[in-house]
Amino acid sequence: MKEFIDLLEKFWILKNSEPELYYSIKDNFSELSSFAKDKLGCRLILKPDFIKLEKIPARAEIWMGLPGFEEPLDYALLCFVLMFLEKKGKGDQFILSQLTESILINSAGICKPDWTLYRHRKALVRVLKYTAAIGMINVYDGDSGRFADDAETEVLYESSGLSRYFARMFIKPLTQKTSIEDIENETYLDIEHDRGDYRRHRVYRKLVFTPAIYSTENADFDYIKNFRGFISRDIEKMTGCRLDIHRTAAAMIVPGSSRYKRVFPSQRAISDIALQLNRILRSGAGDIPPSETFSMSYSEFYGIVLKLMRESRSGWSKEYREKSADEITDELILYMQGFSLLRRDGDTITILPLAGKITGDYPKDYDRRTGRRNE
């Protein structure tokens, strides 16, 4: 169902910017809401100005985060921006200096930013650009980006009134939670975790919101195998994807004509490099034998990236041909973690089964010395 794909892809659907999609989802609200509630355990929120699917992951992953955010300070500043906007109604205008002053007051004793520091100003710029991109604020006059270079920059904004719907609602105050697990299990405090609604919601969330479920997650993997027929029909109907189950992993396979934006493999250059790296990892690299799951040190992984660079760099885009091995190694780790191809724990890199199922290489007539295909 194309409407469900849009709900997955977008933070929310705004009526004023996408009216046709808004009304299409509204017309199918009953079916979409039932699937979200019964299978994912998530709310589908319908308001006069927007529709939003609350996308609550089964567990927190290192790759999860807001686009464009680079450090914890970004998230702290976003919270202070939300506090400021809480007092603003739809259409209320304010200037940047009012916001920065409010942040300084509310952050006292917590993580007080210093607007004389470029890094702090740049972090606020990232937050402002994100909130504007999703329609939480509108830039009425000026350029937020200029604040990074000049702390005296003024910009006129207008609140859309959507900020109060940005954060997820919790049953109990966050101040009563002491761990990530408390937040993850917040809806199911008194329910056995491997039974009934909890397990169904957890399994569907993992399939829909993350790249793969591995057989090491015994209870969830067994659930998928036992109910594969029902799950497969649900997944195909609502997402347009095929449920693929192997001995070690289960994942949603996206069709070639898909409207999904974040998939692997993709047209991105780093995606091609990851495919080539998967080939080396699964064919055996030095003293590391090919297997479904295996671990190595960061330095060993770095050595494999060097091998890949020697063999395949000639065909990469100019951007990656000019990058250092350190830059490419760290970017590959971050990218591959995001698609459950590997996991990093300190200095240990664990290669996961999905990396062996999706590999790639140049055509057979490609000349690695010249970077061209033979005539």
Side-chain angles (χ1 to χ4, degrees):
M1 180 177 282
K2 63 181 182 62
E3 292 85 1
F4 188 74
I5 296 175
D6 285 304
L7 288 168
L8 287 176
E9 286 285 297
K10 303 172 187 289
F11 184 79
W12 46 30
I13 312 295
L14 303 181
K15 185 171 71 172
N16 62 358
S17 59
E18 298 181 279
E20 291 185 8
L21 178 57
Y22 174 90
Y23 284 110
S24 179
I25 294 173
K26 187 176 180 180
D27 290 342
N28 293 279
F29 185 81
S30 178
E31 182 179 7
L32 292 165
S33 180
S34 293
F35 178 79
K37 179 182 178 181
D38 297 341
K39 301 305 171 68
L40 299 172
C42 297
R43 291 194 306 160
L44 183 59
I45 302 169
L46 173 63
K47 296 292 182 180
D49 294 333
F50 72 93
I51 299 177
K52 176 188 176 184
L53 173 65
E54 277 193 337
K55 293 173 274 289
I56 304 172
R59 60 170 179 261
E61 300 279 4
I62 192 171
W63 49 268
M64 293 178 178
L66 297 178
F69 281 30
E70 298 179 2
E71 56 177 314
L73 178 62
D74 298 13
Y75 293 92
L77 292 176
L78 174 62
C79 291
F80 294 125
V81 170
L82 291 174
M83 290 173 62
F84 176 82
L85 292 174
E86 184 72 20
K87 300 175 183 178
K88 302 293 181 183
K90 181 179 180 180
D92 286 351
Q93 294 185 340
F94 60 93
I95 57 176
L96 181 55
S97 59
Q98 291 176 311
L99 173 61
T100 55
E101 182 179 355
S102 171
I103 292 174
L104 291 177
I105 294 172
N106 289 316
S107 63
I110 304 175
C111 62
K112 192 170 183 177
D114 182 350
W115 303 131
T116 67
L117 300 177
Y118 174 81
R119 184 174 69 87
H120 290 193
R121 298 196 305 273
K122 189 65 175 177
L124 182 58
V125 168
R126 288 193 291 268
V127 172
L128 291 172
K129 287 186 174 181
Y130 172 76
T131 54
I134 65 170
M136 201 149 59
I137 62 173
N138 299 310
V139 181
Y140 200 80
D141 184 31
D143 179 5
S144 301
R146 293 179 58 189
F147 180 71
D149 298 317
D150 182 5
E152 301 300 319
T153 295
E154 282 290 16
V155 183
L156 179 61
Y157 299 101
E158 184 177 271
S159 171
S160 67
L162 297 175
S163 61
R164 66 197 62 186
Y165 301 105
F166 178 85
R168 171 187 166 193
M169 298 294 293
F170 289 94
I171 298 173
K172 294 186 177 181
L174 280 175
T175 53
Q176 296 182 15
K177 303 180 189 304
T178 59
S179 68
I180 292 176
E181 288 72 24
D182 287 344
I183 296 176
E184 291 173 342
N185 300 330
E186 198 256 358
T187 310
Y188 307 96
L189 296 178
D190 301 317
I191 296 177
E192 291 186 58
H193 288 188
D194 287 326
R195 297 179 65 86
D197 291 346
Y198 183 92
R199 182 164 64 173
R200 182 175 68 253
H201 294 166
R202 186 179 64 211
V203 169
Y204 273 82
R205 287 181 187 182
K206 286 181 180 180
L207 283 172
V208 174
F209 298 149
T210 60
I213 297 181
Y214 287 114
S215 56
T216 51
E217 304 174 68
N218 297 320
D220 294 346
F221 198 73
D222 288 342
Y223 183 93
I224 292 173
K225 290 191 295 183
N226 292 336
F227 296 96
R228 63 189 303 165
F230 294 105
I231 297 174
S232 181
R233 285 193 292 273
D234 285 340
I235 293 296
E236 185 171 357
K237 178 181 179 181
M238 300 305 294
T239 71
C241 299
R242 186 183 84 248
L243 178 62
D244 195 51
I245 304 174
H246 289 275
R247 185 168 58 87
T248 57
M252 284 170 40
I253 304 301
V254 179
S257 58
S258 164
R259 298 164 63 239
Y260 289 101
K261 296 178 181 177
R262 192 171 184 268
V263 297
F264 178 79
S266 69
Q267 297 299 314
R268 295 182 60 191
I270 188 66
S271 175
D272 292 340
I273 296 173
L275 286 170
Q276 294 171 342
L277 182 67
N278 287 348
R279 174 186 56 80
I280 293 179
L281 290 169
R282 288 309 175 186
S283 63
D287 297 328
I288 302 171
S291 59
E292 291 181 337
T293 300
F294 59 93
S295 298
M296 65 183 76
S297 67
Y298 177 89
S299 60
E300 289 174 314
F301 186 84
Y302 183 86
I304 295 173
V305 173
L306 287 176
K307 171 182 170 66
L308 174 65
M309 293 174 70
R310 289 193 298 268
E311 291 183 359
S312 305
R313 195 175 194 170
S314 60
W316 295 354
S317 66
K318 183 175 183 292
E319 175 189 2
Y320 286 94
R321 289 200 307 270
E322 295 178 350
K323 284 191 175 185
S324 68
D326 290 335
E327 291 174 319
I328 291 174
T329 300
D330 290 341
E331 187 172 343
L332 275 170
I333 290 173
L334 285 174
Y335 179 77
M336 294 175 72
Q337 279 187 129
F339 287 102
S340 295
L341 302 172
L342 60 76
R343 180 176 62 247
R344 181 176 186 178
D345 184 14
D347 189 54
T348 302
I349 306 294
T350 300
I351 308 302
L352 300 174
L354 201 60
K357 301 182 186 302
I358 312 174
T359 66
D361 199 3
Y362 293 124
K364 292 182 179 180
D365 59 353
Y366 178 80
D367 190 328
R368 299 178 189 272
R369 295 170 301 172
T370 64
R372 299 184 179 89
R373 299 180 70 167
N374 295 323
E375 298 296 334

